[in-house]
Amino acid sequence: MNVRFDFYTPSDIADILGKRLRTQRLALNLTQATLAEKAGIGVSTVARIEAGQGGTLDNIIRVAIALGMINHFAQLFDITPTSIEDIIAKQNPRLRASNKSGE
């Protein structure tokens, strides 16, 4: 299922991702307690993540590792060039943002 998150709120996205993690956990026939132990986090943390009630990035990464899903993060913030200018810019990445916006 290829869902785009353009028009979802952060809460909606957390809910969708939590449901996906729960589905994967159940597909592997793991209890929340077993997953928590494998991930090195608390059972209540697993329950909160699955319910879409948040979790630290570290804990979400731990759960993804424990579920064998960490490679899904590989392209998370990877910028895909769409033009020759993007390719050139990727070869010489910016180190700082300019203050031209008046902020």
Side-chain angles (χ1 to χ4, degrees):
M1 184 161 137
N2 193 9
V3 175
R4 290 189 46 123
F5 290 136
D6 301 66
F7 300 107
Y8 287 93
T9 66
S11 296
D12 293 336
I13 295 168
D15 187 53
I16 291 166
L17 295 178
K19 287 177 182 174
R20 288 180 183 178
L21 290 173
R22 181 177 189 272
T23 299
Q24 181 65 15
R25 174 180 62 78
L26 293 173
L28 296 173
N29 197 29
L30 298 174
T31 64
Q32 285 183 336
T34 303
L35 176 58
E37 184 178 326
K38 286 180 73 168
I41 60 177
V43 176
S44 62
T45 300
V46 171
R48 279 194 316 275
I49 291 170
E50 288 185 357
Q53 297 173 352
T56 66
L57 181 57
D58 182 70
N59 286 340
I60 292 169
I61 290 170
R62 289 171 179 266
V63 168
I65 290 169
L67 292 173
M69 299 179 76
I70 194 59
N71 287 323
H72 292 270
F73 283 82
Q75 296 178 340
L76 186 59
F77 295 111
D78 191 21
I79 307 297
T80 303
T82 57
S83 68
I84 191 69
E85 289 83 12
D86 290 345
I87 293 170
I88 292 168
K90 194 169 184 176
Q91 291 175 346
N92 300 308
R94 293 183 64 111
L95 301 177
R96 297 172 51 162
S98 64
N99 196 11
K100 293 181 182 177
S101 64
E103 293 178 14

